[in-house]
Amino acid sequence: MIDLFIIKVGGNVIDNPALLQTFLEKFAAIPGKKILIHGGGKIATRIGDKLGIESKYIDGRRITDADTIDVVTMVYGGLVNKQLVAKLQANGCNAIGLTGADANIIPAVKRPVKEIDYGFVGDVYTEKLHIAPLQTLLEAGVTPVFAPLTHDGNGQILNTNADTIASSLAIALSAFYSVRLIYCFEKKGVLRDPNDDEAVINLINQEIYQQLLAEKVLSDGILPKLQNAFGAIGNGVKEVLIGHADDVLSNTTAKVAGTLIC
């Protein structure tokens, strides 16, 4: 039996007010222990533009320079995080907004400069995750809501991939709970045909995954999620599910609507 759901909601949902509202209503209705990790969406880019801070990307990844880390800290850890918490409270879910710096839960290391300098981007220091505070909150019936920010232990906030934060927390907490890790985004699951929203692959194991890779039918955007999923399962997480934000409530039951990774 699953006794903890760790749910990551993507930036495209954050950017869609109607989709986000439906998601939060359904998330709030999930019984038992749960944690929400949210992406940033495009709000930081819009606010950065208003402040005259240009957003820079390489291969679709944000370059987090000194000005940008200030913007994403304000937007992800402040505006987006607290709006989500307030809306969850309105739906009867007693939530608390957090970053990885709070209670030293998610230490990270600044990504080393190789071919590309990503700036103040953090890679989770998995060996030093401090999850006792999370257990205290969960056992008290409080739902943690994490912004995609960590810290380096020396006072520096780091921008960190929300999918990675979700899988890292799921792995660490799987020592104490039976965990289902759920990635929610704007598609119904992993699709055999990226142009057909109904072409959901309901089950993927390692054998099927290797076959799909060989056939080159998976979109580039879904590959990091699958890599995180198999990494989590290989490190103690019971189940990983990828599905539509609208299906989050049903995807916490035995009758799932998305793609189950095992």
Side-chain angles (χ1 to χ4, degrees):
M1 185 180 77
I2 301 297
D3 48 25
L4 173 61
F5 295 101
I6 296 181
I7 299 171
K8 186 265 178 174
V9 61
N12 287 336
V13 179
I14 299 293
D15 287 331
N16 184 322
L19 188 55
L20 178 61
Q21 183 60 37
T22 300
F23 167 80
L24 292 174
E25 291 171 0
K26 293 183 177 181
F27 177 88
I30 297 169
K33 298 177 179 66
K34 56 201 175 193
I35 297 173
L36 179 62
I37 299 95
H38 63 83
K42 297 176 182 176
I43 302 172
T45 299
R46 293 198 295 269
I47 290 180
D49 289 344
K50 291 180 181 179
L51 295 172
I53 298 170
E54 180 186 359
S55 296
K56 304 179 185 71
Y57 295 87
I58 295 179
D59 296 332
R61 296 187 179 187
R62 183 187 291 274
I63 302 300
T64 309
D65 59 19
D67 288 335
T68 302
I69 192 61
D70 289 346
V71 172
V72 299
T73 300
M74 289 188 291
V75 175
Y76 299 168
L79 180 64
V80 175
N81 187 266
K82 299 312 174 189
Q83 285 181 340
L84 294 181
V85 169
K87 289 173 181 176
L88 286 173
Q89 297 291 1
N91 282 285
C93 175
N94 190 15
I96 184 169
L98 299 169
T99 72
D102 295 296
N104 193 30
I105 294 172
I106 313 175
V109 294
K110 185 175 179 291
R111 185 168 297 167
V113 177
K114 296 180 180 176
E115 294 85 3
I116 300 171
D117 183 358
Y118 286 103
F120 294 102
V121 169
D123 294 321
V124 175
Y125 200 155
T126 53
E127 295 82 359
K128 291 194 174 183
L129 286 174
H130 185 213
I131 59 170
L134 279 183
Q135 293 175 273
T136 300
L137 291 170
L138 291 168
E139 296 303 324
V142 178
T143 297
V145 179
F146 276 94
L149 300 166
T150 58
H151 76 122
D152 70 354
N154 296 306
Q156 179 63 58
I157 290 286
L158 297 168
N159 188 12
T160 301
N161 181 272
D163 285 358
T164 303
I165 289 176
S167 62
S168 298
L169 289 177
I171 290 166
L173 286 162
S174 66
F176 306 95
Y177 303 96
S178 177
V179 176
R180 179 182 289 178
L181 170 61
I182 302 175
Y183 292 112
C184 292
F185 66 149
E186 71 283 2
K187 300 290 186 181
K188 293 184 178 181
V190 180
L191 304 177
R192 182 172 289 279
D193 179 355
N195 298 313
D196 181 358
D197 287 346
E198 302 302 321
V200 177
I201 305 168
N202 295 117
L203 177 70
I204 298 179
N205 56 25
Q206 273 288 0
E207 182 180 353
I208 295 171
Y209 179 49
Q210 294 305 319
Q211 181 180 345
L212 292 169
L213 288 176
E215 294 173 0
K216 297 182 178 180
V217 298
L218 299 172
S219 68
D220 291 341
I222 203 68
L223 290 175
K225 284 183 172 58
L226 288 171
Q227 291 163 357
N228 272 323
F230 282 111
I233 289 170
N235 285 280
V237 176
K238 185 174 179 63
E239 299 170 348
V240 180
L241 192 137
I242 298 173
H244 198 285
D246 277 353
D247 296 324
V248 64
L249 185 55
S250 63
N251 281 338
T252 60
T253 69
K255 190 177 180 180
V256 299
T259 300
L260 190 65
I261 315 293
C262 61

